[in-house]
Amino acid sequence: MRLQPPDTLPERIGFLLLPRFAMVAFFSAIEPLRIANRIDGRPLFEWDLISRDGEPVVASNGMTLIASGSLHTTSQVPSLAVCASFDPERAIDDELIDWLRARNYEGCVLGGIDTGCYALAAAGLLDDKTVTLHWECLSDFCTRFPRVDAVESIYEVTDEGFSCAGGSAAIDMSLDLIRRRHGDALAKQVRDQLIHEQGRRPASRQRDSAIPQDPMLQRAITLMDDNLESPLSIRSLANELGITWRRLDRLFARHLAISPQQTYLSRRLDHAYWLLSETPHSIMNISLACGFASPSSFSRAFRLHYGSTPSQLRQQAVSNRA
């Protein structure tokens, strides 16, 4: 994550995993580095997984990841990413703040993934610096840390540190690191392996500009996108948001002029369209990945939405690539 390349390979990066960290963001940061090692045939990167006490850490999705060291046993690393997600402040105390300040004093380049910047800001290490974090927390973060320049971008990399918004934004940040260290050709090969679209620039916005910037609406759509394979009922969606289903219905009617059910179905079908066009997955697997109980129900919904069947779109996509 440092702008200056290391003197020797492999380049070591530490990942501090705070309780309930975002697993998707962590893996999105790691996988491009692993793939770069495989393609190049050399260990270009290596990483240390750090927890407070060296014990396994439970992510926000309930999965547990084994750490390789603790705050007190991990040796010095040139770069360190703080990985967090929900309620990042619950993990911040004097011990963690002192440890982060010590790493900064040693010259370690510090960064945050998803909401990891909360810990760095609490330690006073981000004053007058530009960072990004998940859009859902930006307003609260700016209120709590007014001396930090927090922006809604995909990722930020400076001489002093780095940060990304979480989710797939970590892929873009790691691809940028691979490009700066080892060239465009390797970065493109890694991106192709990930089946990732052309790398987004740091200043790209996190959210679809076509969606009104209402925080509750954005949270609702994020929940939909996070639950495409096993769709939530509208009542469950409203419960997750802490509102009634009637209020949720009014929210979508006011901003999008369609119901939450229609929006949810549309986003599932949009994802299916992309999978059919850009991946070799079978129609059966795509229907399951997008929350349909059977290929027949998927085909009916898809044809009503797009005017063609999944099989017809797949044939067209294959023909276009020929």
Side-chain angles (χ1 to χ4, degrees):
M1 307 295 181
R2 303 169 67 95
L3 285 184
Q4 295 301 318
D7 295 330
T8 59
L9 295 177
E11 179 174 356
R12 291 183 63 222
I13 302 170
F15 290 88
L16 174 62
L17 308 178
L18 298 184
R20 301 189 72 199
F21 71 95
M23 183 75 80
V24 64
F26 168 72
F27 281 139
S28 293
I30 288 284
E31 282 300 286
L33 308 182
R34 179 192 65 79
I35 295 170
N37 288 349
R38 180 176 63 81
I39 292 174
D40 191 79
R42 295 178 297 164
L44 304 177
F45 303 97
E46 66 179 10
W47 42 88
D48 296 309
L49 309 188
I50 307 164
S51 68
R52 292 289 298 264
D53 53 9
E55 294 298 313
V57 188
V58 179
S60 60
N61 62 2
M63 297 177 67
T64 300
L65 204 61
I66 297 174
S68 56
S70 70
L71 299 185
H72 303 295
T73 62
T74 300
S75 58
Q76 184 175 353
V77 290
S79 302
L80 176 81
V82 181
C83 304
S85 181
F86 296 108
D87 300 322
E89 292 184 295
R90 292 180 60 181
I92 301 171
D93 57 18
D94 290 343
E95 180 187 33
L96 180 62
I97 286 173
D98 289 343
W99 188 83
L100 290 171
R101 287 173 176 169
R103 302 290 77 73
N104 180 67
Y105 181 79
E106 292 172 353
C108 178
V109 176
L110 300 169
I113 292 179
D114 201 317
T115 61
C117 283
Y118 270 85
L120 299 174
L125 302 175
L126 298 182
D127 289 355
D128 302 318
K129 296 179 181 177
T130 300
V131 302
T132 189
L133 63 161
H134 195 280
W135 63 265
E136 197 172 26
C137 300
L138 270 173
S139 178
D140 175 71
F141 184 88
C142 291
T143 299
R144 292 172 183 267
F145 305 106
R147 294 191 59 185
V148 182
D149 178 27
V151 297
E152 186 182 333
S153 58
I154 297 297
Y155 65 95
E156 297 288 332
V157 178
T158 70
D159 289 329
E160 301 167 315
F162 56 92
S163 55
C164 76
S168 64
I171 294 178
D172 297 280
M173 188 170 70
S174 288
L175 286 171
D176 179 71
L177 173 64
I178 294 166
R179 178 190 60 79
R180 285 188 282 106
R181 292 291 193 267
H182 305 289
D184 291 333
L186 180 59
K188 182 182 183 303
Q189 287 180 287
V190 174
R191 189 174 70 242
D192 289 345
Q193 288 292 315
L194 289 164
I195 318 178
H196 190 61
E197 62 182 324
Q198 177 69 32
R200 294 172 290 183
R201 305 309 302 162
S204 301
R205 289 184 64 82
Q206 297 176 27
R207 294 177 281 180
D208 185 348
S209 59
I211 299 173
Q213 303 298 296
D214 180 281
M216 186 65 72
L217 182 69
Q218 291 286 348
R219 286 182 59 199
I221 290 176
T222 296
L223 279 170
M224 291 178 179
D225 290 345
D226 287 345
N227 294 275
L228 297 176
E229 184 173 349
S230 300
L232 301 170
S233 69
I234 298 306
R235 286 188 181 276
S236 296
L237 186 64
N239 289 338
E240 288 284 337
L241 295 168
I243 61 177
T244 65
W245 70 267
R246 292 184 184 277
R247 182 182 168 191
L248 181 65
D249 200 61
R250 291 195 298 269
L251 179 72
F252 276 77
R254 181 170 68 252
H255 288 295
L256 301 178
I258 59 175
S259 70
Q261 293 92 331
Q262 291 171 305
T263 302
Y264 209 163
L265 177 60
S266 177
R267 297 187 80 82
R268 289 162 57 201
L269 291 170
D270 285 348
H271 186 53
Y273 189 103
W274 183 85
L275 290 171
L276 287 163
S277 302
E278 302 295 335
T279 78
H281 293 303
S282 69
I283 291 175
M284 167 70 83
N285 286 339
I286 290 174
S287 69
L288 294 174
C290 296
F292 291 91
S294 67
S296 58
S297 62
F298 169 52
S299 184
R300 284 194 300 271
F302 193 91
R303 183 169 54 188
L304 283 172
H305 193 71
Y306 287 109
S308 62
T309 66
S311 297
Q312 289 169 335
L313 177 63
R314 171 57 60 78
Q315 291 170 359
Q316 179 183 343
V318 171
S319 176
N320 290 341
R321 288 195 291 268

